[in-house]
Amino acid sequence: MTQTVEALFDEGIERYKAGEDPAELISVFKEVCDRAPKSSAAWACLAWLYLLTDKPNSGLKAAQKAVKLNPQDPQGRVNLAVAMLDAGKPGVREHVEIAAQVMTVADDMRAEVMQSIDDGLTRKPDWKSLARVKQWLE
């Protein structure tokens, strides 16, 4: 029996939180995105995994989809900003500013995004672009 998209997504998140290698999870989130192409959360997760595994161009494409589907999601914006920095693209400031604006009105989102950034820096300590985005948001 095929898992529901929600179950697959939740399982992917649990495996990520348990410390599984991001490279192993890309196929899980690719499947979620294939089956639920309008899920901005799935695209944001896929972008994050690509960025953690040094695939900035794939990360950029996934992050652009996430932001297009949900322009108000600060995590999507942060992922897009980091992907743009990693891929050497201009126009980063706008995305960081939008993320910061949303985060000032939504404390729970702010905590979630900062936790995610800290997690990224734990998994990939020399991630300069993520460290820069973190500085801009603090």
Side-chain angles (χ1 to χ4, degrees):
M1 192 179 101
T2 313
Q3 281 182 297
T4 64
V5 174
E6 293 80 14
L8 194 61
F9 180 86
D10 292 343
E11 182 190 300
I13 295 288
E14 288 311 310
R15 286 167 59 189
Y16 177 84
K17 286 181 178 169
E20 192 164 329
D21 182 348
E24 301 287 317
L25 294 170
I26 287 174
S27 62
V28 174
F29 284 96
K30 262 187 176 165
E31 184 182 335
V32 173
C33 291
D34 286 346
R35 290 173 54 192
K38 295 207 179 320
S39 168
S40 65
W43 285 108
C45 290
L46 184 60
W48 185 249
L49 294 171
Y50 278 136
L51 293 171
L52 275 169
T53 54
D54 300 317
K55 295 184 175 76
N57 293 324
S58 298
L60 182 62
K61 284 188 193 119
Q64 285 168 330
K65 282 193 178 139
V67 168
K68 192 174 174 190
L69 289 165
N70 184 359
Q72 294 304 311
D73 176 29
Q75 185 65 59
R77 293 283 181 174
V78 166
N79 292 357
L80 184 53
V82 171
M84 290 169 79
L85 285 169
D86 281 355
K89 305 274 187 235
V92 173
R93 181 178 298 275
E94 172 199 349
H95 299 293
V96 175
E97 285 172 358
I98 292 169
Q101 283 167 6
V102 175
M103 287 163 64
T104 53
V105 295
D107 272 349
D108 54 332
M109 281 185 164
R110 178 178 183 76
E112 217 172 277
V113 170
M114 295 315 272
Q115 194 179 344
S116 167
I117 288 173
D118 289 339
D119 172 71
L121 291 170
T122 302
R123 289 174 187 252
K124 192 173 163 183
D126 56 348
W127 198 352
K128 289 180 179 58
S129 53
L130 184 61
R132 260 172 79 190
V133 170
K134 181 183 180 183
Q135 264 184 325
W136 290 332
L137 290 173
E138 285 179 333

